Amino acid sequence: MTDGRSLEGRVAIITGAARGQGAADAMALSSAGAFVVLTDLLEDEGQALCREIGDAATFVRHDVTSAADWDDVVATALRIRGRLDILVNNAGIHSSTPLLEESVETFERTLSVNLIGPFLGIRAVSGPMHEGGGGSIINISSLAGAAGLAGHASYGSSKWGLRGLAKTAATELGPLGIRVNTILPGAINTSMMTPVVAGEANRFAGLPLGRHGEPAEVAAVVLFLASDASSYMTGAEIMVDGGALVNGTSSAPRPPGAALR
């Protein structure tokens, strides 16, 4: 690549990389020249993707809520390639329950994976990134982190919180040469989104672009933020939502159980 998006020689950690959005991110970054450390709890799928990518990838079983696991992932990257340049905080879980029916256990679990996980990741990678001359941290939030969506108390809270964490991290880590940016996907065709079934062909017609998004479309933005093409960007938030918030309010379809990510 000659437009600043080459990642040749760089090392990236991608959480939740075994399938869906994380897998698309891994393919995009590795295709741009990065060595990718794929992490997930889904070992079989993660190892399969690792084999598909080839020598430019390794897989580590990883619970993002565990500080010890984060230390292991970072140590693996440093042991194999001696540096760490990129972190994609992609791992997340979804819950869709009316607020008054939400359990404390589900709320706490969602916050633990979707917010505390990225917090631990940012802490774990910042030292090696600084020592290596800087880096890029990319957090995957959600349209549910930019609009109040019914049934998304725990998920929405975690994704709103991730935006705040990213703003603070961008402020504090900028002097260390580390950029921190956030992507807010809308209705993306992953396992988190309720499948489109017969009779729902127009389910996304209310969006300005009139369709759902694909993981590769989010991955293209991940690649941009990981690369030198975005070298003067930090603390930014980029919507990849088909225009759902173009008029300031969410026009995204929200059938029961549908996740926006």
Side-chain angles (χ1 to χ4, degrees):
M1 294 185 180
T2 59
D3 60 357
R5 286 180 289 179
S6 172
L7 301 179
E8 197 67 39
R10 300 186 194 182
V11 179
I13 293 171
I14 305 164
T15 68
R19 64 184 182 185
Q21 187 59 60
D25 297 343
M27 295 297 290
L29 299 192
S30 61
S31 294
F35 181 88
V36 291
V37 180
L38 315 177
T39 89
D40 211 303
L41 290 174
L42 302 174
E43 294 188 64
D44 290 345
E45 291 160 279
Q47 292 285 8
L49 179 61
C50 189
R51 289 191 294 272
E52 181 179 350
I53 294 173
D55 292 341
T58 192
F59 174 79
V60 181
R61 188 182 188 279
H62 179 204
D63 176 357
V64 296
T65 69
S66 166
D69 276 13
W70 272 108
D71 290 342
D72 288 344
V73 170
V74 171
T76 297
L78 296 177
R79 174 175 52 82
I80 295 176
R81 287 301 172 102
R83 60 181 298 123
L84 179 55
D85 307 280
I86 301 157
L87 168 63
V88 183
N89 276 318
N90 170 78
I93 59 174
H94 176 252
S95 173
S96 179
T97 306
L99 174 62
L100 299 184
E101 299 174 16
E102 184 80 86
S103 71
V104 173
E105 292 77 16
T106 298
F107 200 97
E108 289 180 338
R109 176 61 179 165
T110 304
L111 289 179
S112 183
V113 174
N114 295 1
L115 182 54
I116 294 177
F119 161 72
L120 293 173
I122 292 169
R123 288 202 318 177
V125 305
S126 293
M129 282 187 178
H130 176 46
E131 292 170 7
S136 175
I137 297 173
I138 302 153
N139 299 298
I140 308 299
S141 181
S142 168
L143 177 61
L149 304 184
H152 286 73
S154 60
Y155 184 74
S157 295
S158 70
K159 294 301 187 178
W160 278 91
L162 185 56
R163 292 174 61 195
L165 174 63
K167 293 288 191 182
T168 299
T171 300
E172 295 187 8
L173 301 182
L176 304 181
I178 301 170
R179 300 184 296 110
V180 185
N181 294 290
T182 303
I183 300 173
L184 292 86
I188 306 300
N189 187 22
T190 69
S191 59
M192 275 194 181
M193 188 177 79
T194 303
V196 177
V197 298
E200 289 190 334
N202 295 323
R203 180 168 132 196
F204 303 96
L207 295 174
L209 294 186
R211 62 176 178 84
H212 62 67
E214 295 295 338
E217 294 177 295
V218 179
V221 184
V222 171
L223 172 56
F224 168 69
L225 292 175
S227 74
D228 291 342
S230 59
S231 58
Y232 198 54
M233 291 178 64
T234 196
E237 298 180 329
I238 301 178
M239 303 296 304
V240 187
D241 65 350
L245 290 183
V246 72
N247 62 356
T249 59
S250 174
S251 58
R254 298 191 298 276
L260 296 167
R261 148 90 145 51

